[in-house]
Amino acid sequence: MRLFFSLLRIRGLVDMMRLPWRSPLTPLFSSHVLLEPFLLTTSSIFRCVRPAQRLGCWLSLYALADIPFSVETIEDDDEQEFWEIAIAQLQKLHLIQWQAKGIYRLHPLIRQFFQMKLDELSDADKVKTAFVAQMAEVAKQIPQQPNREDIFNLTPHIPHLAEVATHLSQYLSDEDLIGPFTGLGWFYQGQGLYQQAEPWVQQCVKIAENRLSLEHLNIAASLNNRPLAKVEHPPENKFSG
């Protein structure tokens, strides 16, 4: 009887993962009534697949948006194989959704589950620090005046840079502290979207003032950028139409 109910719960999990990702039933899975059995079932399956656990925890740090994640650029063959196995395991368990080559998405409930598992790890802070450092490198690729090609290539990363700036900035090193903020500001300014750029510039100044000395070079850089976002009558998006 116990095995029968376990199988029913696993079948329910699989069926749930196959629901449309914007299904009207999705909010039901946020209820505590369904969350607890879901977590119990997922945890029992998940304990035996370490690569999937590590990757799931890593992916949970991204925003709720399409996640660009490709193993093709990994030079170490063993590491590349590890992540390929992890992706295959997560897909087999219906814990990630394949969108396109190198692009994946997490269901909000699955993301919540992985975040809980991440916080249980002894090296959770180390993982978060490595993640924000990687995103800081992405931010460094944003030029102060991005062109059309830059905008196209960087757009998939913008929600995740915003996630780091909003929720994970405490894990950024002093050297990388303002990178995501200035990067986001430049990304929107470069398209003429000054109202969207200004909050990131303001946050950049605020967080740098709170964490660094006013004489710090990064503070000066962020203050110098601030007026760029304050245009009384900014033009429309120059890349629209």
Side-chain angles (χ1 to χ4, degrees):
M1 183 65 70
R2 184 176 300 174
L3 175 60
F4 173 74
F5 280 112
S6 296
L7 290 174
L8 281 180
R9 287 162 67 181
I10 293 173
R11 175 60 184 274
L13 169 65
V14 172
D15 289 344
M16 186 189 77
M17 290 300 98
R18 289 174 179 167
L19 281 173
W21 285 58
R22 294 188 180 275
S23 166
L25 295 178
T26 298
L28 294 177
F29 298 115
S30 299
S31 69
H32 294 294
V33 175
L34 291 178
L35 180 59
E36 183 176 357
F38 163 74
L39 292 178
L40 288 172
T41 300
T42 310
S43 296
S44 64
I45 303 173
F46 202 56
R47 279 193 292 268
C48 62
V49 283
R50 183 177 178 275
Q53 183 182 34
R54 300 299 295 189
L55 179 57
C57 291
W58 180 268
L59 295 179
S60 74
L61 294 171
Y62 286 88
L64 278 173
D66 287 349
I67 301 172
F69 184 86
S70 175
V71 300
E72 294 180 356
T73 58
I74 300 176
E75 296 180 357
D76 184 272
D77 291 340
D78 292 337
E79 184 180 357
Q80 186 181 79
E81 183 180 5
F82 178 89
W83 292 121
E84 287 175 346
I85 291 172
I87 292 171
Q89 290 174 340
L90 288 176
Q91 288 183 296
K92 185 175 181 180
L93 293 170
H94 303 282
L95 296 179
I96 57 173
Q97 184 185 49
W98 182 87
Q99 299 289 94
K101 184 178 180 181
I103 304 292
Y104 302 91
R105 182 179 281 264
L106 287 177
H107 187 282
L109 188 58
I110 296 297
R111 180 173 179 258
Q112 179 184 352
F113 166 74
F114 282 134
Q115 288 176 340
M116 292 170 58
K117 302 307 291 185
L118 173 58
D119 288 338
E120 294 174 3
L121 298 178
S122 59
D123 61 344
D125 286 349
K126 183 178 179 180
V127 173
K128 294 175 183 179
T129 299
F131 177 79
V132 300
Q134 177 176 295
M135 295 309 300
E137 291 302 312
V138 174
K140 292 176 183 177
Q141 299 174 26
I142 303 177
Q144 190 164 358
Q145 296 180 332
N147 56 34
R148 285 177 178 269
E149 184 178 359
D150 295 325
I151 298 299
F152 178 81
N153 292 331
L154 291 165
T155 292
H157 301 282
I158 295 305
H160 311 299
L161 279 176
E163 180 73 13
V164 168
T166 304
H167 299 295
L168 296 168
S169 62
Q170 66 269 35
Y171 296 99
L172 287 164
S173 67
D174 288 352
E175 181 182 354
D176 292 333
L177 181 60
I178 71 164
F181 298 92
T182 55
L184 288 164
W186 291 346
F187 177 80
Y188 291 115
Q189 287 174 8
Q191 301 172 77
L193 303 174
Y194 294 93
Q195 289 184 346
Q196 290 177 255
E198 184 173 5
W200 296 115
V201 177
Q202 292 176 340
Q203 288 183 51
C204 174
V205 175
K206 182 177 179 180
I207 194 170
E209 286 177 344
N210 290 336
R211 185 160 150 184
L212 305 171
S213 65
L214 286 174
E215 292 77 21
H216 196 282
L217 179 61
N218 287 342
I219 282 283
S222 63
L223 287 171
N224 286 337
N225 285 328
R226 192 173 188 179
L228 294 176
K230 291 193 171 183
V231 176
E232 292 184 3
H233 301 287
E236 296 296 326
N237 181 358
K238 67 182 181 182
F239 290 141
S240 64

